[in-house]
Amino acid sequence: MKFYQRLAYYLFGFLVGMVFLFMILNGKESGCSYFPNARVLKDLRSKPFYYSDTAAKKIAQKCIDTSDIRKTLTYGDIDFDKSNVKIQGGKLYIIEGKTAKEQPIILEVINYSNKVVLKDIKK
């Protein structure tokens, strides 16, 4: 069997396999969180979310919107040098993000085993 025939068989099989793969995985909400930043943010978003009194006051003053907090918890960067500190029975995480107006914000979040508490918001 010549090289171009083997290449044609390989490409045909590859194409058929890709079609089946796309048919099976189409529409499924599957994702891969291999990096530490993505795993921690996914864990924080999966638990019930509560606000401390300090954070609730800053939200009430319209300094920041809850959509900005959600966006930061989805696309933010965790500062692991300052994070992963045990505090009050949970772990403190410092998350850096941006508001809708592209202003930098920093969220201090405490991750407990069953809930997440937003401790403070800094601009």
Side-chain angles (χ1 to χ4, degrees), residues 23-103:
M23 288 173 50
I24 291 171
L25 295 179
N26 189 18
K28 296 195 183 225
E29 292 188 25
S30 59
C32 301
S33 348
Y34 293 116
F35 296 110
N37 192 56
R39 288 194 330 230
V40 171
L41 289 175
K42 185 177 180 181
D43 182 50
L44 293 175
R45 288 190 312 266
S46 68
K47 295 178 183 176
F49 199 80
Y50 299 100
Y51 301 98
S52 69
D53 294 334
T54 308
K57 286 178 187 175
K58 290 187 179 179
I59 292 172
Q61 294 173 353
K62 304 291 184 187
C63 294
I64 192 169
D65 193 12
T66 55
S67 64
D68 295 330
I69 294 171
R70 238 179 282 123
K71 180 181 171 187
T72 303
L73 287 175
T74 305
Y75 302 109
D77 294 321
I78 298 174
D79 187 0
F80 282 104
D81 292 335
K82 300 175 187 173
S83 297
N84 210 3
V85 178
K86 295 195 185 255
I87 184 171
Q88 302 171 358
K91 291 184 179 181
L92 176 71
Y93 289 101
I94 308 296
I95 306 170
E96 300 169 352
K98 292 189 177 187
T99 63
K101 298 176 184 175
E102 296 298 320
Q103 297 174 341

